[in-house]
Amino acid sequence: MKNEDVQRLVERISMQYFKRPFLHQARFNHRLRTTGGRYLLRSHDIELNYRQYEYYGEEELIRVIKHELCHYHLHLEGRGYMHKDAEFKALLKDVGGSRYCRATDVPDFKHLYICLSCAKQFKRRRRVNTAKYVCGFCKGNLRYSP
Ligand SMILES: [Zn+2]
Ligand SMILES: [Zn+2]
């Protein structure tokens, strides 16, 4: 599948499931790794993960396109376009989109620690020595939560 085909596919899905035209650019991004696709807030373009398409095929690609079109249409209409928004969740369910998130939704921390006293969570890029570091709120001991 080439980029022109992707463009046409997104336009077709937009009309079929959203009853509204897709008026921007859709293309494969060969560098996307951890997400199925992403909607670009500034340009309103949609980028799709080529490797995922190669691996899972067109059916999954269509589900990702539906997800990104939910962001697209709601954003352009000034409605709740983020994952946490009720309008987004309702529309996604309506059209049967995938639950894959875009790049910004992938957490950039690797290690999670939980305070054993107050249960507060701490996200860290690097591992910390739990024998040395305590909870900043209550001074409780931390437990590593892989
Ligand atoms: Zn998303
Ligand atoms: Zn604590």
Side-chain angles (χ1 to χ4, degrees):
M1 189 181 290
K2 289 178 295 195
N3 274 333
E4 306 99 82
D5 303 323
V6 173
Q7 179 74 28
R8 247 173 275 134
L9 181 61
V10 173
E11 287 170 0
R12 184 166 65 74
I13 291 168
S14 185
M15 285 312 291
Q16 191 177 338
Y17 292 91
F18 296 82
K19 316 285 180 226
R20 283 161 269 184
F22 174 71
L23 302 170
H24 293 81
Q25 299 293 309
R27 59 182 165 267
F28 279 126
N29 180 334
H30 290 255
R31 283 168 303 152
L32 288 184
R33 296 286 151 106
T34 52
T35 55
R38 63 177 177 182
Y39 165 63
L40 305 170
L41 287 173
R42 289 194 185 167
S43 62
H44 308 295
D45 291 349
I46 287 175
E47 292 186 340
L48 298 155
N49 185 326
Y50 188 76
R51 295 152 147 266
Q52 177 169 293
Y53 162 65
E54 266 187 320
Y55 194 80
Y56 292 104
E58 187 164 327
E59 201 177 315
E60 184 56 30
L61 178 69
I62 287 171
R63 279 161 47 77
V64 173
I65 289 171
K66 287 174 177 174
H67 177 114
E68 302 310 324
L69 281 172
C70 287
H71 286 304
Y72 174 82
H73 287 298
L74 291 170
H75 180 238
L76 288 179
E77 288 163 17
R79 294 160 67 199
Y81 67 91
M82 297 201 283
H83 292 149
K84 63 175 172 63
D85 293 323
E87 285 179 313
F88 180 87
K89 287 177 187 162
L91 185 59
L92 189 67
K93 205 175 163 202
D94 243 33
V95 299
S98 91
R99 296 187 59 205
Y100 279 99
C101 299
R102 61 203 154 89
T104 49
D105 298 315
V106 176
D108 63 356
F109 65 88
K110 290 202 183 85
H111 306 289
L112 180 68
Y113 295 86
I114 297 169
C115 173
L116 292 172
S117 305
C118 71
K120 192 134 181 71
Q121 297 189 352
F122 299 90
K123 294 159 183 173
R124 292 289 176 267
R125 281 172 194 270
R126 295 181 186 188
R127 292 204 66 158
V128 299
N129 182 351
T130 53
K132 258 169 87 177
Y133 289 91
V134 294
C135 172
F137 295 89
C138 74
K139 310 275 185 244
N141 288 313
L142 302 180
R143 179 172 59 85
Y144 184 61
S145 176

